[in-house]
Amino acid sequence: QGYWKNPEKSRETFTASIEGEDPSVHYLRTGDLGFMSDGELYITARLKDYIIINGRNFFPEDIELDIFTSHPALRQGCGAAFSVDDHGQEKLVVVQELRKNQDIDITQLVIQLQTTLMEQHQLSLHALVLIKEGSACKTSSGKIQRHANKSAYLNGNLKVEGHWGPLPD
């Protein structure tokens, strides 16, 4: 029927309509983003995971892929890219697991990541937080939980191995 004691969210999610079409036809707003090609639906991302910086939209998966493939000490599929508000401007933060027993020069790593992000996305990194292997927030099936990692970053609940840029107070 809808969300418990939240009629506005229920209306928004369960009675969506498409502008210019019959308003009595309703759709379920799942939050998934995708496209149709040759009669097939392809799901590409989640709307709530979008990163919007300076009016440009970025898929976090693209940024995460470029990050962990930039250095062998970074664990594949164990990083989360998201934006945070910094005095009214959205800035890019990456929380990334570091492989065990890695001794890296974080300044050199950040230079490498900044170069990659600028070349691939015209983006600048605001903060990089390297966390202990196995400590990234994930679902039971092993998918990265961006919002949980962002919350852990904002609340200071990460197992930090090293960082560059500001950490929240």
Side-chain angles (χ1 to χ4, degrees):
Q1 298 278 336
Y3 291 101
W4 178 255
K5 295 185 179 182
N6 194 340
E8 184 176 318
K9 181 74 173 166
S10 295
R11 197 170 26 263
E12 178 184 309
T13 303
F14 296 101
T15 60
S17 59
I18 297 175
E19 190 174 320
E21 289 191 9
D22 182 351
S24 67
V25 176
H26 296 127
Y27 297 92
L28 171 66
R29 187 179 307 276
T30 65
D32 293 314
L33 295 172
F35 65 93
M36 297 286 294
S37 178
D38 296 326
E40 298 287 327
L41 174 63
Y42 295 86
I43 305 296
T44 58
R46 299 277 301 154
L47 186 59
K48 68 180 183 176
D49 287 342
Y50 244 18
I51 297 171
I52 303 172
I53 296 177
N54 296 328
R56 294 180 54 223
N57 299 336
F58 300 93
F59 289 113
E61 296 88 351
D62 295 339
I63 295 167
E64 293 158 0
L65 176 66
D66 288 336
I67 293 291
F68 77 72
T69 58
S70 294
H71 198 284
L74 306 179
R75 292 192 68 215
Q76 179 177 348
C78 298
F82 50 85
S83 65
V84 296
D85 181 273
D86 181 50
H87 301 94
Q89 286 192 315
E90 291 298 308
K91 304 275 179 99
L92 178 65
V93 173
V94 173
V95 171
Q96 174 65 53
E97 281 189 18
L98 187 62
R99 293 186 188 279
K100 286 182 184 171
N101 304 319
Q102 297 293 314
D103 186 28
I104 63 169
D105 180 342
I106 196 163
T107 303
Q108 191 61 37
L109 175 63
V110 168
I111 290 169
Q112 186 175 344
L113 295 179
Q114 291 282 38
T115 300
T116 298
L117 289 171
M118 190 54 67
E119 288 173 356
Q120 298 299 318
H121 308 281
Q122 293 75 52
L123 268 177
S124 180
L125 193 58
H126 178 67
L128 171 68
V129 183
L130 299 174
I131 59 175
K132 184 177 180 176
E133 184 172 336
S135 68
C137 301
K138 293 184 173 187
T139 66
S140 60
S141 64
K143 290 170 57 178
I144 200 75
Q145 292 181 309
R146 289 181 192 87
H147 289 277
N149 282 289
K150 179 177 180 175
S151 180
Y153 167 77
L154 293 172
N155 295 322
N157 294 330
L158 296 171
K159 295 181 180 177
V160 178
E161 294 280 312
H163 74 91
W164 176 89
L167 290 175
D169 297 329

